[in-house]
Amino acid sequence: MFINWSTVGTVSSASVTAITALTVTYIAVAQHLISRHQYRLALFERRMVVYNSAMNFMESVLKSTKPSLEQIFQYLSETQEHGFLFGPEVGTFVNEVYKKAVQLNAHNEMGSQAARQKADVVNWFNAQMCEARKVFLRYLDFTKP
């Protein structure tokens, strides 16, 4: 039996090149996936700050029904990145919470003559606790790629 060593060398050389190309492709795809996961994790952490600020603020409003201007401005400060981290629906939600808190603060300043309006705004805040989860979930759900 005769072995043609030049053919074996050519086939071996082509095989090494193909295996190297496949290995490089596999590594590139793996690095891309890792990079994508790291990016999503970094976004998740920053998004959670905005979400937690909104939830904590609404919880505070429901507990006291008397948001101070200082609390309202702190809420604005803590959620100011919403435009960069979320879609427009979260921005609309964050701004609506701010407007309602300002309304509630004004109703508190008016005293008993605004009791009905105050109750309406407090009820609105109560409903928003569940709504907030729906609005933010799309951006905080790690089960979707």
Side-chain angles (χ1 to χ4, degrees):
M1 174 147 115
F2 176 70
I3 297 177
N4 185 346
W5 289 106
S6 67
T7 304
V8 170
T10 303
V11 169
S12 296
S13 176
S15 297
V16 169
T17 302
I19 290 170
T20 302
L22 287 172
T23 304
V24 167
T25 302
Y26 173 79
I27 291 171
V29 168
Q31 285 178 333
H32 172 73
L33 291 174
I34 290 169
S35 175
R36 185 172 174 201
H37 288 299
Q38 286 176 333
Y39 173 74
R40 288 186 67 217
L41 181 60
L43 272 181
F44 177 82
E45 290 171 354
R46 292 182 70 191
R47 287 173 172 168
M48 279 303 292
V49 170
V50 174
Y51 173 74
N52 286 333
S53 295
M55 295 301 287
N56 290 339
F57 178 70
M58 290 188 301
E59 185 178 306
S60 171
V61 168
L62 286 171
K63 282 181 182 176
S64 72
T65 68
K66 297 180 181 182
S68 68
L69 289 178
E70 182 180 322
Q71 286 176 309
I72 294 169
F73 291 131
Q74 181 180 352
Y75 165 74
L76 275 180
S77 175
E78 292 173 353
T79 59
Q80 69 184 346
E81 290 186 339
H82 69 81
F84 301 107
L85 300 172
F86 299 98
E89 69 278 10
V90 172
T92 300
F93 181 83
V94 166
N95 291 331
E96 188 67 20
V97 168
Y98 162 74
K99 290 175 188 174
K100 291 292 186 177
V102 170
Q103 274 183 0
L104 187 55
N105 180 274
H107 294 319
N108 285 329
E109 296 295 319
M110 295 165 128
S112 62
Q113 59 203 25
R116 182 67 199 143
Q117 293 92 341
K118 178 180 174 180
D120 290 343
V121 176
V122 169
N123 288 334
W124 181 89
F125 269 99
N126 191 40
Q128 296 314 299
M129 292 297 286
C130 290
E131 187 62 27
R133 286 179 181 86
K134 293 176 192 172
V135 171
F136 281 90
L137 182 63
R138 172 178 165 212
Y139 300 96
L140 300 173
D141 188 2
F142 250 98
T143 60
K144 297 177 183 172

